Amino acid sequence: MTSTNWPRRTDPRGPILGLLLILAGFTVYRSLLLLCPQSHPIVYERQSADSPPNCHPDHGGRFGIGNRTFTELRLEGLEVLLSRGPKGWFRVNCDQNKQLRKVSISASAGNLSFYIYNTASEDSSATKRAIGGWYFEQDEIAKFLSVSGHLPLIDVGANLGLVALQAAMQRRQVVALEPINQNAIRLCRSVLDFGHAPLVQVIRNAVSSEEGNVTLAMASPAGRTRYEVTRTKTWGYEPTNAYAIHLDRLLEILPFKRAALKIDVESHEGHVLAGAEQLFQEVDIPLVWMEWIHVKNKPNYGGVFIIQFMRKLDMVPFNLMTGEQLSMDSFLQWPFSVLWKRATHD
């Protein structure tokens, strides 16, 4: 009797079971995402509000969805841009579908790429200069990046990111705060599109001595990247609203315990320091670079207040470019910007 070797039948249950497992895994993944929707506030342990399952941070200040960590989410653009309101932190859409104008400029840290506004007439400050191949305070920024070494950076008044992005190019961690939405969007997109996502956290908030809603406006037409805090919506050009936080709020999310601090907020520098007492207590900040020209004469939170505040921290003022120590008694004659250095800093 002759035997015939018939081809074996494939058991259909194997592929079906595999497909069912894939579908089940996807369902679980989607359910976890629903527990942490993108618009849900990110609530931290020191706050009293409740947070959804698996959405609060661990003790390192990192938070995730399921088994995905804070850093991995940032790489996807979900955590690069955050903001804080009265109920906690929340994610802000980085508007990745919007077409933005890119410019590249040779800088001390290398070839600096970032996004600007479409035309010089739309923004006569940062955009106009960038189109011409330069940017304001090029030498000062290079000097600050040099003297601050490899310290992480807190950048208050980040604008389009000229300082923050160059610090990231040096492989430094950066937390950059910018209250104007269109500036923050451009900075966020620069972080994502030019390879800085693992290093830079953008915060869309104003920083002040009091928390709450503030109005900002331009002092002159088409200075779109230079806004000042104003008490009335009728003052200046292009008024816009922002939510102001104390700089101390960074302690809820700050990923480092030592940093250099840069403050450039168009005469509001003293207000920033007034809301940063706890930050200076808990974070080692040996260097502070701030604009001085707009703040020295202010009656409230001006030059006198800043000097008193910095003296308590054992900080000494220097001319950033020359390294010359400045006399406290002649603060009205100090240069455009000042570098404060802790007396015990090497």
Side-chain angles (χ1 to χ4, degrees), residues 203-218:
I203 307 294
R204 192 195 65 185
N205 281 101
V207 183
S208 191
S209 52
E210 297 181 10
E211 296 194 323
N213 295 316
V214 295
T215 300
L216 303 97
M218 294 182 290

Side-chain angles (χ1 to χ4, degrees), residues 180-337:
I180 305 303
N181 185 58
Q182 289 304 313
N183 292 349
I185 291 293
R186 282 167 172 77
L187 175 52
C188 173
R189 287 283 301 279
S190 295
V191 169
L192 286 172
D193 295 350
F194 306 130
H196 308 302
L199 293 169
V200 182
Q201 174 72 72
V202 183
I203 307 294
R204 192 195 65 185
N205 281 101
V207 183
S208 191
S209 52
E210 297 181 10
E211 296 194 323
N213 295 316
V214 295
T215 300
L216 303 97
M218 294 182 290
S220 60
R224 192 168 298 278
T225 52
R226 295 183 61 193
Y227 281 77
E228 300 177 31
V229 175
T230 175
R231 293 292 181 183
T232 168
K233 293 184 179 181
T234 61
W235 179 88
Y237 302 86
E238 298 288 339
T240 184
N241 295 323
Y243 188 81
I245 60 173
H246 290 156
L247 199 59
D248 286 338
R249 289 292 186 183
L250 292 188
L251 292 170
E252 299 168 350
I253 63 169
L254 201 64
F256 41 76
K257 286 295 184 180
R258 192 167 192 259
L261 173 62
K262 170 238 164 185
I263 311 174
D264 181 358
V265 287
E266 306 298 326
S267 81
H268 214 65
E269 283 77 6
H271 289 268
V272 172
L273 293 177
E277 291 187 2
Q278 189 176 358
L279 181 75
F280 277 96
Q281 292 174 7
E282 298 190 26
V283 179
D284 180 12
I285 303 176
L287 294 171
V288 180
W289 177 32
M290 67 171 63
E291 276 198 357
W292 191 251
I293 187 68
H294 303 301
V295 73
K296 60 185 179 181
N297 283 320
K298 288 180 68 68
N300 298 318
Y301 296 104
V304 173
F305 168 82
I306 293 174
I307 288 174
Q308 293 173 346
F309 186 95
M310 299 304 260
R311 269 180 169 163
K312 293 178 183 178
L313 298 172
D314 199 23
M315 303 290 280
V316 180
F318 291 86
N319 183 316
L320 172 65
M321 299 307 295
T322 67
E324 175 189 5
Q325 184 173 335
L326 301 171
S327 170
M328 300 279 195
D329 296 328
S330 59
F331 69 88
L332 292 177
Q333 284 75 50
W334 286 1
F336 186 90
S337 58

Side-chain angles (χ1 to χ4, degrees), residues 25 77 79 82 91 147 149 171 177 192 210 236 265 322:
E79 308 300 343
L82 297 178
R91 306 173 180 91
V147 298
R171 311 310 300 164
L177 298 99
L192 286 172
E210 297 181 10
V265 287
T322 67

Side-chain angles (χ1 to χ4, degrees), residues 38 42 44 60-65 67-83 90-94 96 152-153 164-165 167-169 171-177 187-203 250 253-256:
Q38 185 164 341
I42 300 166
Y44 287 79
R62 296 154 63 92
F63 55 89
I65 297 175
N67 62 354
R68 301 198 306 166
T69 65
F70 177 88
T71 303
E72 290 169 342
L73 285 169
R74 286 174 64 184
L75 288 172
E76 295 177 11
L78 297 178
E79 308 300 343
V80 171
L81 183 54
L82 297 178
S83 185
F90 58 92
R91 306 173 180 91
V92 180
N93 191 328
C94 213
Q96 290 179 263
L153 174 66
L165 294 172
M169 290 166 66
R171 311 310 300 164
R172 295 158 65 171
Q173 285 184 291
V174 180
V175 172
L177 298 99
L187 175 52
C188 173
R189 287 283 301 279
S190 295
V191 169
L192 286 172
D193 295 350
F194 306 130
H196 308 302
L199 293 169
V200 182
Q201 174 72 72
V202 183
I203 307 294
L250 292 188
I253 63 169
L254 201 64
F256 41 76

